[in-house]
Amino acid sequence: MISRRPVLLAALGLLASLAVPFVSPARADTGAEASAFVTHLADGAMQAMVGKGVSDQERASRFRTLFTTDVDLADIGRRVLGRYWRQANPDQQKEFLQLFEDVVVLTWSTRFKDYGGDLHHVITGTIDDGDRGVTVSSRVDRERQAPVNLQWRLKRTEGGFRVVDLIVEGTSMAVTYQSEYASVIRASGDRIDGLLSALRAKVAELRTPPAP
């Protein structure tokens, strides 16, 4: 009589192997590539913003290069304006995207220019969202200050990944701007020109050197 024990053990072994979560090489590669992309972008941004002996103009120029290369400005701009994007004509859309770029670049390139401590960026996880892209979680450790938790929402393109949103401590950059700009448009009688005028004033303010 043939013992059934080896067959039973083999079957149990097969079931056990099937119970182990399977991570496809493609998904593993995507996570690694997304992490590398975010690491490169974050390190470059921190160097541009925190570097010593760099003029405000040069710092803004460096950050603008990073921002326009690795961030999908058009995608974010459409989401920030929401239904108002469809109401805007092509010239208004073009001007909005340029002003929005100026606001983000001038705001973030100068916010940390006087920070003297060390910054250390650490990737803490990735989630493959399928067709929606990849979300990379990370943390910025700061000397004598609480760390900052980030989530980078990326989309895949033929040329690689691009950022479509940045979530800082649970607050979405795109959603925040969307709420602020929608309020300005409503206060202007639902006119896009009201927002454009406000953004022109904001950019002029950001470009004005602080009083000595």
Side-chain angles (χ1 to χ4, degrees):
M1 181 177 179
I2 299 176
S3 172
R4 295 184 179 180
R5 184 175 179 80
V7 177
L8 178 60
L9 291 176
L12 290 174
L14 176 60
L15 289 173
S17 68
L18 292 175
V20 176
F22 174 72
V23 178
S24 70
R27 285 183 177 271
D29 290 345
T30 295
E33 291 171 4
S35 296
F37 170 82
V38 168
T39 296
H40 174 76
L41 176 56
D43 289 348
M46 287 190 297
Q47 290 176 10
M49 291 189 289
V50 182
K52 296 298 182 181
V54 180
S55 68
D56 289 348
Q57 183 176 0
E58 176 62 20
R59 182 179 287 105
S61 176
R62 292 180 184 180
F63 188 67
R64 188 182 298 276
T65 298
L66 285 170
F67 184 73
T68 55
T69 300
D70 296 322
V71 175
D72 193 329
L73 181 64
D75 186 291
I76 296 175
R78 285 191 293 269
R79 289 194 294 134
V80 164
L81 277 190
R83 66 184 179 87
Y84 296 111
W85 177 265
R86 295 187 295 275
Q87 296 179 18
N89 63 46
D91 288 340
Q92 290 173 325
Q93 292 173 350
K94 181 178 179 181
E95 184 178 8
F96 168 75
L97 290 178
Q98 184 58 63
L99 290 169
F100 180 58
E101 176 185 317
D102 288 341
V103 167
V104 173
V105 169
L106 294 172
T107 298
W108 290 96
S109 65
T110 58
R111 181 163 293 179
F112 300 110
K113 70 177 183 179
D114 296 323
Y115 182 74
D118 292 329
L119 300 177
H120 184 55
H121 182 256
V122 182
I123 300 294
T124 58
T126 61
I127 298 175
D128 192 330
D129 298 321
D131 293 341
R132 291 179 297 177
V134 182
T135 299
V136 178
S137 298
S138 69
R139 184 184 71 247
V140 177
D141 293 326
R142 303 180 295 172
E143 188 177 20
R144 295 187 298 276
Q145 296 186 60
V148 178
N149 294 302
L150 307 170
Q151 284 185 307
W152 310 73
R153 289 186 175 168
L154 314 177
K155 78 171 185 179
R156 300 178 179 87
T157 69
E158 291 184 357
F161 290 106
R162 299 199 80 188
V163 179
V164 293
D165 197 8
L166 177 62
I167 301 171
V168 182
E169 293 293 345
T171 301
S172 162
M173 180 184 76
V175 172
T176 298
Y177 279 120
Q178 182 183 47
S179 177
E180 292 177 357
Y181 292 174
S183 296
V184 174
I185 293 173
R186 287 194 296 270
S188 304
D190 270 3
R191 295 174 56 254
I192 302 295
D193 285 337
L195 173 63
L196 296 179
S197 178
L199 290 176
R200 292 188 204 107
K202 182 64 177 178
V203 170
E205 175 189 333
L206 290 170
R207 284 179 170 160
T208 301

